[in-house]
Amino acid sequence: MTTLDGAVVLITGANGGLGREFVAQALARGAAKVYATARAPRQWDDPRIVPLALDVTDRESVRAAAAAATDVTVLVNNAGGTSQASLLDDDLAGARQLFETNFWGQLEVTNAVLPAVKANGGAVVNVLSALSWLALADTYSATKAVFSSATNTQRLALAGDGVQVLGLHLGYTDTPMTAGIDAPDKNDPADVVRAAYDGLEAGQLEVLADETSRQVKAGLAAPISALYPQLG
Ligand SMILES: NC(=O)c1ccc[n+]([C@@H]2O[C@H](COP(=O)([O-])OP(=O)(O)OC[C@H]3O[C@@H](n4cnc5c(N)ncnc54)[C@H](OP(=O)(O)O)[C@@H]3O)[C@@H](O)[C@H]2O)c1
């Protein structure tokens, strides 16, 4: 079980739609300090917020941020991207690049920050997706699927150190990432982050933040054609 009251929280992609909510709601729950990390950190008008440069795909940047934040108790791996790159492209460079951001970069950040989190018996929150379980978004789905698997590996490996590893699954949420997607009833990012932090503080290992995530996970037990009706 993790409390945010008095916690020191490091958030990646803190300038994004969910990232800003992770920052604001950590402070609202009593966090003592928030490292708001981003490729281009912005200024925040709050002395409890420490802006830090962190590009998850740049190992030097990751290491420098981890070295500057040795008091972290809660890590939120929120940064992520999308791409038009397909797993079926002749040239897989674009797909590899998305894996650098959405998978390898996530592991680089976690492994760099882990000594602090372990020392503090803290927690890691991995922002996954309902698309971790549904391959409708090509390379993006694949990156989130493998990150979801790695989340299970981390959870098992770190349980003995008292580190809580929480996987957060969500469907379409109203952030800049989905600005070009015309989907009805996108989640409010504030609701998603509230569900994540409620789960974290309740000691949960997984949070399904919306009905989409709950339905997709429940559908995994059905025949593959039920999950993908377009296959007839
Ligand atoms: N919105 C949805 O519908 C939805 C659904 C499921 C899961 N998610 C996941 O939720 C997380 C947050 O996304 P969001 O919806 O809040 O989108 P967003 O507003 O686009 O935020 C994503 C953030 O990730 C940052 N980022 C991208 N590449 C990075 C890198 N190499 N190093 C550091 N930061 C990087 C971006 O930074 P820059 O400002 O520098 O570009 C941006 O601030 C992502 O992991 C996303 O996959 C979102």
Side-chain angles (χ1 to χ4, degrees):
M1 192 122 81
T2 303
T3 178
L4 286 161
D5 193 15
V8 177
V9 186
L10 188 147
I11 297 163
T12 64
N15 293 352
L18 283 159
R20 286 167 188 253
E21 277 299 325
F22 276 116
V23 172
Q25 293 192 32
L27 293 171
R29 289 174 187 246
K33 190 196 286 185
V34 173
Y35 291 105
T37 78
R39 290 188 281 199
R42 52 164 283 213
Q43 289 304 312
W44 301 78
D45 293 327
D46 189 316
R48 297 169 296 175
I49 303 178
V50 179
L52 267 187
L54 198 167
D55 179 337
V56 304
T57 64
D58 176 346
R59 181 174 284 176
E60 287 310 310
S61 156
V62 170
R63 289 187 176 167
T70 54
D71 52 353
V72 172
T73 64
V74 177
L75 167 65
V76 181
N77 283 311
N78 164 72
T82 55
S83 162
Q84 295 302 314
S86 171
L87 297 176
L88 299 178
D89 287 344
D90 278 343
D91 179 352
L92 287 170
R96 287 181 197 275
Q97 188 55 43
L98 195 60
F99 270 84
E100 286 297 328
T101 303
N102 287 2
F103 180 58
W104 294 114
Q106 310 299 320
L107 303 192
E108 294 279 5
V109 173
T110 300
N111 294 351
V113 176
L114 207 46
V117 173
K118 270 187 188 175
N120 294 304
V124 176
V125 175
N126 288 339
V127 181
L128 304 169
S129 173
L131 293 170
S132 314
W133 297 310
L134 196 61
L136 294 183
D138 204 318
T139 306
Y140 178 81
S141 292
T143 64
K144 291 293 186 179
V146 73
F147 187 24
S148 177
S149 177
T151 300
N152 290 326
T153 299
Q154 292 169 337
R155 186 179 292 127
L156 287 166
L158 298 173
D161 296 306
V163 175
Q164 179 186 354
V165 178
L166 186 150
L168 171 67
H169 296 264
L170 56 142
Y172 283 136
T173 301
D174 194 7
T175 70
M177 183 175 279
T178 62
I181 297 174
D182 185 18
D185 301 328
K186 292 179 192 172
N187 300 315
D188 182 334
D191 293 337
V192 171
V193 170
R194 191 175 307 109
Y197 281 157
D198 281 351
L200 185 73
E201 295 201 293
Q204 292 174 13
L205 302 179
E206 182 173 86
V207 167
L208 310 183
D210 55 18
E211 195 50 29
T212 301
S213 303
R214 287 187 283 275
Q215 280 184 6
V216 173
K217 186 171 186 189
L220 291 175
I224 203 87
S225 55
L227 203 54
Y228 299 101
Q230 55 271 61
L231 294 176

